[in-house]
């Protein structure tokens, strides 16, 4: 028996289907939501790292270190989320173009962004991600996926902590950026 390319792809796709007590509809729905969170995390990571590299002014050291810590925190969340998608037997993100297609965040490619604008933009992005995580948590509840829900609870807390730090740091910066 010979196998054509289409049969080979079907076999490969089937090999991704990790067994689960959750229905195929549940795993597909959950994976779609989690993949969007992974895409947002990648964009937020890169934006936070970008601002870390380009922050300036009298609060440089504090902001630079805070943004470095936050970018590391965000990066550490990506792999467990993507692995959760795979545990559900679904494919996760495969390319930068797919990340940009799925993200709800906007990139910032400006040549100069004041420290104040950086902090406020990141704060708002973190608020948006927390909202998306809560919505995804609701989907987890709908499908009784406690494993993903508990993972999201940790990341919601971490996102709220980043939001809090950014808010307080922005209060120290004036609208002129220093």
């Amino acid at each position: 028996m010979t196998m054509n390319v289409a049969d080979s792809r079907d076999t490969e796709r089937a090999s991704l289907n990790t067994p689960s007590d959750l229905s195929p509809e549940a795993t597909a729905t959950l994976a779609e939501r989690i993949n969007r969170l992974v895409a947002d995390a990648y964009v937020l990571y890169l934006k936070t790292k970008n601002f870390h590299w380009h922050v300036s002014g009298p609060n440089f050291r504090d902001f630079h270190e805070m943004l470095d810590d936050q970018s590391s925190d965000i990066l550490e969340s990506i792999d467990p989320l993507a692995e959760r998608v795979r545990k559900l037997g679904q494919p996760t993100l495969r390319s930068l173009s797919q990340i940009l297609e799925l993200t709800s965040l906007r990139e910032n490619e400006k040549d100069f962004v004041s420290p104040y604008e950086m902090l406020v933009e990141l704060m708002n992005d973190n608020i948006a991600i927390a909202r998306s995580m809560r919505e995804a948590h609701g989907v987890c509840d709908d499908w009784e996926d406690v494993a993903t829900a508990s993972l999201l609870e940790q990341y919601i807390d971490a996102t709220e902590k980043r939001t809090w730090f950014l808010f307080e740091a922005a209060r120290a910066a004036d609208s002129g950026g220093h």
Side-chain angles (χ1 to χ4, degrees):
M1 177 178 163
T2 61
M3 184 181 288
N4 67 31
V5 175
D7 291 338
S8 174
R9 287 190 187 131
D10 289 342
T11 301
E12 290 170 8
R13 173 83 172 134
S15 69
L16 293 178
N17 292 328
T18 305
S20 175
D21 66 319
L22 296 170
S23 72
E25 182 184 1
T27 61
T29 301
L30 291 160
E32 187 274 329
R33 293 304 301 247
I34 299 166
N35 275 330
R36 289 184 180 282
L37 294 175
V38 172
D40 283 345
Y42 267 114
V43 171
L44 184 60
Y45 165 75
L46 188 57
K47 184 187 284 190
T48 304
K49 202 60 155 169
N50 171 34
F51 289 168
H52 156 79
W53 292 323
H54 294 101
V55 71
S56 61
N59 295 313
F60 166 78
R61 181 177 169 81
D62 291 337
F63 294 166
H64 181 77
E65 288 181 1
M66 178 183 67
L67 296 177
D68 194 38
D69 290 344
Q70 289 193 1
S71 66
S72 294
D73 182 47
I74 296 161
L75 184 61
E76 289 174 14
S77 73
I78 293 171
D79 193 53
L81 287 169
E83 286 182 354
R84 185 66 196 143
V85 171
R86 289 295 300 118
K87 288 176 194 174
L88 293 170
Q90 298 291 326
T92 192
L93 305 178
R94 291 192 169 93
S95 68
L96 295 173
S97 61
Q98 189 179 19
I99 288 168
L100 292 174
E101 178 184 315
L102 292 177
T103 189
S104 66
L105 303 179
R106 290 192 170 163
E107 296 180 288
N108 185 320
E109 298 181 40
K110 295 178 184 172
D111 289 338
F112 178 80
V113 181
S114 75
Y116 175 78
E117 292 170 318
M118 288 177 181
L119 298 174
V120 170
E121 185 170 334
L122 291 173
M123 181 187 71
N124 289 329
D125 285 346
N126 276 278
I127 290 169
I129 284 180
R131 184 180 316 110
S132 292
M133 286 184 196
R134 281 189 182 82
E135 291 168 2
H137 192 287
V139 173
C140 294
D141 292 343
D142 292 343
W143 293 103
E144 298 180 357
D145 180 5
V146 295
T148 304
S150 86
L151 188 63
L152 290 175
E153 289 165 5
Q154 295 172 42
Y155 294 140
I156 291 167
D157 184 59
T159 304
E160 288 176 338
K161 183 177 181 180
R162 287 192 307 270
T163 301
W164 172 38
F165 277 50
L166 291 161
F167 170 74
E168 292 298 340
R171 287 164 48 131
D174 63 33
S175 60
H178 296 81

